[in-house]
């Protein structure tokens, strides 16, 4: 699931006006909250989180016993999940917020 989100995020990064503006006007955009968030902070932190989840999955597979496997997953997945939760533009986020629902018309 994390990897599907990664692919969708990377695809979104190539088409989003936020990331395009961020990359094309880096010196000014890096000081503007919305552009910095989607152009750098959100994307980078999500990639870090997904890398940690992938490492956790690989480590768990190599453990000998079930309890060692569960322990490895609990530690790595929890750290990854915390980073993901912290990097989502919640409606109450102090960095950049997005609405929970958008009216269709
Ligand atoms: C677990 C992983 C991820 C989650 C849960 C997540 C979640 C979100 C959410 C909730 C939004 C706001 C959508 C809205 O406007 O309502 C968003 C936007 C965005 N995400 Fe992610 N994301 C993830 C990974 C990534 C990755 C890996 C990238 C790029 C490398 C990325 C790039 C973007 C961009 C560029 C936008 C802004 C799109 C726009 O409004 O133009 N995301 N993401």
């Amino acid at each position: 699931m994390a990897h599907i989100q990664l692919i969708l995020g990377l695809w979104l990064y190539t088409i989003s006006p936020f990331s395009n503006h961020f990359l094309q006007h880096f010196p000014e955009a890096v000081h503007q909250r919305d552009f910095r968030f989607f152009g750098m902070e959100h994307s980078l932190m999500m990639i870090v989180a997904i890398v940690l989840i992938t490492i956790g999955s690989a480590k768990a597979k190599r453990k000998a016993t079930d309890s060692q496997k569960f322990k490895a997953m609990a530690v790595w997945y929890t750290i990854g999940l915390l980073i993901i939760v912290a990097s989502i533009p919640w409606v109450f986020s102090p960095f950049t917020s997005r609405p929970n629902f958008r009216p269709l018309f």
Side-chain angles (χ1 to χ4, degrees):
M1 276 312 266
H3 296 108
I4 294 173
Q5 189 69 49
L6 174 68
I7 289 165
L8 290 176
L10 288 171
W11 171 64
L12 196 55
Y13 199 89
T14 63
I15 59 167
S16 165
F18 282 97
S19 44
N20 284 337
H21 179 88
F22 177 77
L23 294 177
Q24 281 160 19
H25 305 88
F26 182 82
E28 314 95 70
V30 78
H31 299 294
Q32 293 166 310
R33 186 171 280 198
D34 265 9
F35 295 117
R36 187 180 61 229
F37 181 79
F38 284 115
M40 199 166 78
E41 296 163 348
H42 172 83
S43 323
L44 209 65
M45 293 313 282
M46 291 307 193
I47 290 172
V48 168
I50 294 165
V51 166
L52 293 179
I53 290 168
T54 310
I55 293 173
S57 167
K59 284 200 178 285
K61 276 182 197 153
R62 291 196 190 91
K63 298 287 180 193
T65 66
D66 283 350
S67 76
Q68 286 174 325
K69 286 176 195 282
F70 284 124
K71 195 177 171 195
M73 286 193 284
V75 171
W76 289 88
Y77 291 5
T78 303
I79 298 170
L81 182 63
L82 288 177
I83 295 173
I84 288 173
V85 169
S87 309
I88 287 177
W90 301 106
V91 73
F92 50 80
S93 169
F95 310 112
T96 290
S97 64
R98 283 286 176 273
N100 283 336
F101 301 102
R102 290 167 197 260
L104 290 176
F105 43 85

